[in-house]
């Protein structure tokens, strides 16, 4: 009986995830874009109760661990007109997007992101 209940709960969770997948993806993307707007803005500033350095660390960590860049690719840093993009007009994306972050030119060339 216990195994049947667990199986039914798991099945329900899978169905709910399938039904609400688009909404979940949209919500996660929007949340990440909000964090991108706070990325590396004014040093020492605080957004709510979270220091911007913590937000930048979060964004960097997600991009490095997931091997992704921005909310839909490195172009999102510029197209969303993020403060980072305004402060770094010649760069395509933050170093955390780079395949090799130790390269001095990694965030200037699309093929290295």
């Amino acid at each position: 009986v216990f195994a049947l209940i667990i199986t039914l709960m798991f099945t329900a969770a899978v169905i709910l995830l399938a039904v609400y997948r688009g909404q979940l993806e949209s919500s996660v993307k929007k949340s990440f874009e909000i964090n991108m707007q706070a990325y590396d803005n004014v040093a020492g500033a605080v957004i709510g109760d979270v220091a911007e350095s913590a937000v930048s660390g979060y964004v960097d960590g997600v991009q490095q661990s997931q091997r992704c860049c921005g909310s839909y690719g490195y172009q999102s840093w510029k197209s969303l007109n993020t403060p980072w993009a305004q402060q770094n007009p010649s760069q395509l994306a933050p170093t955390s997007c780079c395949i090799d972050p130790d390269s001095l030119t990694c965030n200037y060339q699309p093929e290295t992101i």
Side-chain angles (χ1 to χ4, degrees):
V1 174
F2 181 72
L4 178 62
I5 292 172
I6 296 298
T7 302
L8 290 174
M9 288 176 60
F10 180 75
T11 303
V14 168
I15 291 170
L16 286 172
L17 183 60
V19 169
Y20 293 106
R21 180 179 179 205
Q23 291 176 350
L24 179 62
E25 285 178 3
S26 176
S27 178
V28 168
K29 181 178 176 181
K30 183 65 179 166
S31 175
F32 196 72
E33 288 174 354
I34 290 169
N35 284 300
M36 286 172 64
Q37 290 295 337
Y39 184 91
D40 198 28
N41 206 351
V42 180
V46 173
I47 300 172
D49 61 352
V50 179
E52 286 196 12
S53 61
V55 172
S56 296
Y58 163 75
V59 171
D60 287 340
V62 167
Q63 292 184 146
Q64 291 168 340
S65 67
Q66 299 302 310
R67 296 184 183 189
C68 65
C69 186
S71 57
Y72 58 86
Y74 75 89
Q75 301 92 334
S76 60
W77 284 97
K78 297 289 184 180
S79 66
L80 292 171
N81 198 28
T82 62
W84 178 88
Q86 294 169 15
Q87 294 168 6
N88 302 280
S90 63
Q91 297 178 24
L92 299 174
T95 305
S96 58
C97 289
C98 296
I99 295 169
D100 178 10
D102 294 328
S103 169
L104 297 177
T105 60
C106 71
N107 48 2
Y108 293 91
Q109 303 164 350
E111 61 272 7
T112 61
I113 296 174

